Structures are given as structure tokens and as C-alpha cells.
Amino acid sequence: MDGTDKVALVTGAGSGVGEATALRLASGGVTVGALDMLPERVAATEAAIAAAGGTAIPLIADVSDEGQMRAAVAALMERAGRLDIVIANAGINGMWAPIDDITPAEWDKTIAVNLRGTYLTLHLTVPHLKRQGGAIVIVSSINGTRTFTTAGAGAYTAAKAAQAALSNQMALELARYGIRVNAVCPGTTRTNMSQNTWRRNLEAVRIPVEWPEGQIPLTKGQPASPAEIADAIAFLASDDARHVTGTWLYIDGGQSLLR
Ligand code: NAD
């Protein structure tokens, strides 16, 4: 990827898919606004990018908080002066529980981070992308698009489906500005997401299916590495994908075809 003179915003850049994507884009010469709600994680990503010879702009914000996101995007624009690539990645699994068990507050939290966070990310960055065009990649999931067997994941599934739908709607609405919008749908990926996952009373809704040879046909069950997701995101963000918009790219080793 030739990212010279390009600037990206990556949300959730402190861990997992976001961290790997920030590093991947920076290695291609892109200046990366690395946004996360945990300052120590932002600092670690910034240091890793600097150590590899890249440029990162650290941004600390909760993606579901309008004021914090407004300030973060303003800080990025002040430092970098332009914006070409937006990766709406920050997300949580949240509480997994049956629909008659999950509380309104738990439901709202999952929707707030995953969906409202994506809305705010696009709402605040699209005015800057409009100046010269660009690329948006929304990190959805196999959950909510092809896979519905994750017990208790109703709120997560609903948010991920909405993110994918939003990517198609925006692909059409923003095409006139030369802004491409795509989604990626990762399968199980080795990240720190378990730290943002809580489970309650799942026995009542669990789907009783077992795959003795694992859930991921391509790898005999081994999950993806964050870098494997980041490579596909970087492709969609690059000029190599200049005619690609409104696409959901599955990066799951075939997992969603099985379950
Ligand atoms: P992760 O927990 O390793 O990383 C997520 C990062 O987002 C963390 O650094 C966290 O601090 C940050 N974050 C969480 N809430 C935030 C908020 N409100 N504001 C700002 N930052 C916040 O998880 P990950 O697996 O890398 O998840 C990234 C994306 O990938 C998510 O959207 C997730 O739904 C999606 N995804 C993950 C998997 C998987 O198996 N790990 C599968 C499909 C999709």
C-alpha cells in the first residue's frame, strides 16, 4: 500500500484488530490517528508504530460519547490536516444472555459502543473525507450477517447486522463524493475481546451442535490472528480496492458457512 500523505483514523486501535490495522496502515506510510478509550493501550500502539518507523497520532475517546469523539476528531484534523481512511472498529461483545434476561442497560451498552459508536465515527469524519474522497471500513462480524448460533448474542448480533446494513446505505449515499464504504465480517479472531464479554444463563438458549474437527474449516479450528483481519481491511482501504464499495468481506476461514 502506498499511503504516503494519507491519514487514517482507526478506532479501538489499542488492541486486537484495531491495533493490527493501525500497525498495518502505518507500515504502508499512512499517518494513523490511533483512537481507544484506554490511554495505556493508545500509548503502546503509538510506541509500536513509532518503533517501526511510522507516524501515529494518539487519541483517547469513548466512541459512544459525542463530546469525546468530537474533540478527538478535531485534534486529529488539527495535527494531520486531512483525512482519507476511516476504520470503525471499536466494539464489545457485551453481555450475552437470553432476551428475557438481558437488562435494558446491558442492551443499550452493546448498541451504544458498536452501533452509536460507528454512527458517531462516520458522522464526525465524513465531512473531512468529502473534501477529496476516501475509504471507510466498518468492522462488523459473521455474527448478525451469516451466523446466528452464538447463544445469547442478540444485542451484539443486532448491532453487527445494523453496522453491515449501514455500510451498504452509506456506500450508495457517499459514492458521489468518491467515498467507498465496505464492511468486514471476521470470524473468531485471537484478541482481547473476552475482556469485554460477559455471559449469563446461556443454557436455556444454547444451540446443541458440536464440530469435532473445529469450527473453522480452513485452519482445523484455529482462530484468525488480528493481522489476518488487518491485511483484508488494508486492502479495502487501499487504491487496489478503488472499484469496491458496498461489499461485506468475510474473513473467517469458512467458519460462517459451517455455523
Ligand atoms: P479487542 O477487545 O481486542 O479490541 C477492542 C479495542 O476497542 C480495545 O482496545 C478496547 O479498549 C477498545 N474499545 C472498547 N470499547 C470502546 C469504546 N467505547 N471506545 C473506544 N474504544 C473502545 O477486540 P477485537 O476483537 O479486536 O474487536 C475489534 C472489532 O472486531 C469489534 O468491532 C468486534 O466486534 C470485531 N470482531 C471481533 C471478532 C473476534 O473474534 N475477536 C470477531 C468478529 C468481529
Side-chain angles (χ1 to χ4, degrees), residues 11-19 35-38 41-42 60-65 68-69 88-93 109 112-114 117 139-143 156 160 163 184-196 223-224 226 229 255:
T11 70
S15 173
V17 172
E19 177 187 19
L35 184 148
D36 202 283
M37 66 187 297
L38 298 179
R41 287 189 174 176
V42 172
I60 295 153
D62 176 340
V63 289
S64 66
D65 184 300
Q68 291 181 26
M69 284 300 285
N89 163 77
I92 58 170
N93 281 336
K109 175 75 178 167
V113 177
N114 294 324
V139 181
S140 175
S141 174
I142 61 171
N143 282 292
Y156 182 74
K160 292 286 146 184
Q163 285 181 295
V184 292
C185 301
T188 306
T189 308
R190 209 179 299 108
T191 69
N192 291 312
M193 211 163 180
S194 59
Q195 293 172 13
N196 280 314
I229 311 301
Q255 183 178 14

Side-chain angles (χ1 to χ4, degrees), residues 27-118:
S27 75
V30 177
T31 296
V32 177
L35 184 148
D36 202 283
M37 66 187 297
L38 298 179
E40 65 278 11
R41 287 189 174 176
V42 172
T45 299
E46 182 190 12
I49 288 175
T55 306
I57 298 172
L59 303 165
I60 295 153
D62 176 340
V63 289
S64 66
D65 184 300
E66 183 193 346
Q68 291 181 26
M69 284 300 285
R70 209 172 271 288
V73 172
L76 176 61
M77 294 313 297
E78 197 179 316
R79 287 266 312 264
R82 61 179 289 146
L83 187 60
D84 304 274
I85 296 166
V86 172
I87 315 296
N89 163 77
I92 58 170
N93 281 336
M95 174 58 77
W96 291 0
I99 196 72
D100 49 352
D101 185 331
I102 188 169
T103 67
E106 289 163 347
W107 176 276
D108 286 350
K109 175 75 178 167
T110 300
I111 302 295
V113 177
N114 294 324
L115 185 53
R116 176 182 161 85
T118 298

